[in-house]
Amino acid sequence: MNRRAGIVVASTRAAHGERPDTSAAPLSEWLRAQDLEPLPVAIVADGEPVRNAIEELLAAGASLILTTGGTGLTADDLTPEVTKPLLEREIPGIMEAIRALGMTKTPTAALSRGYAGVVGRCVVVNLPGSSGGIKDGLTVLTPLLRHLLEQIEGSHEH
């Protein structure tokens, strides 16, 4: 099966061209390594544009959507608030594992507020915006991904 995946970069500054995005390239590389076909990357301001980008990727048939950024506590960090209402089922263990791994390196990993869950047959995961947070997220997701996607597609035998 040819699975497709999307990336949403929640960065108001990158969306307005005030700073370059450094997260899309390593995320795209990881998607290809997982045999997922990357859809076009959305670099958007945080808040409603993130929700819109997630909805567009869902409509495009994504099996996995990774968001990065907007999970902290600044006033415009709204990725969790726009993601959670879209989720049909949450997968709290993924985010617990990402935060736990991050906290072995920096105590501020505990401040990440992202969600992971399922919308239809798509997994959505809010990754932190830092390179370390992204790396931790991918480290956690790598051994889970195949089984996770098979389960939500209904192709995993119990």
Side-chain angles (χ1 to χ4, degrees):
M1 176 183 290
N2 192 22
R3 295 182 179 122
R4 301 166 77 189
I7 298 166
V8 179
V9 178
S11 171
T12 301
R13 291 183 7 210
H16 293 133
E18 296 170 12
R19 74 169 182 90
D21 168 63
T22 58
S23 55
L27 287 171
S28 295
E29 183 178 316
W30 181 83
L31 292 176
R32 284 189 287 277
Q34 306 308 308
D35 293 323
L36 294 167
E37 176 189 335
L39 292 162
V41 174
I43 300 176
V44 298
D46 209 343
E48 287 302 313
V50 173
R51 178 197 314 261
N52 296 339
I54 292 171
E55 289 175 338
E56 288 174 18
L57 290 168
L58 289 168
S63 296
L64 174 68
I65 298 171
L66 301 176
T67 71
T68 178
T71 63
L73 294 165
T74 63
D76 68 341
D77 284 337
L78 299 172
T79 297
E81 285 76 13
V82 299
T83 300
K84 187 176 181 182
L86 298 173
L87 301 178
E88 295 166 1
R89 294 182 287 166
E90 288 184 44
I91 313 171
I94 290 176
M95 299 314 297
E96 291 165 6
I98 292 171
R99 284 187 283 270
L101 179 58
M103 287 172 50
T104 66
K105 301 164 190 163
T106 176
T108 59
L111 302 177
S112 180
R113 304 178 307 110
Y115 287 98
V118 177
V119 181
R121 290 182 170 220
C122 180
V123 176
V124 180
V125 180
N126 295 151
L127 297 175
S130 68
S131 60
I134 291 169
K135 183 178 178 185
D136 293 343
L138 299 181
T139 298
V140 167
L141 287 172
T142 299
L144 302 175
L145 188 63
R146 181 172 173 229
H147 181 72
L148 176 60
L149 293 176
E150 287 174 352
Q151 278 197 330
I152 65 169
E153 291 166 354
S155 61
H156 180 75
E157 293 297 321
H158 296 283

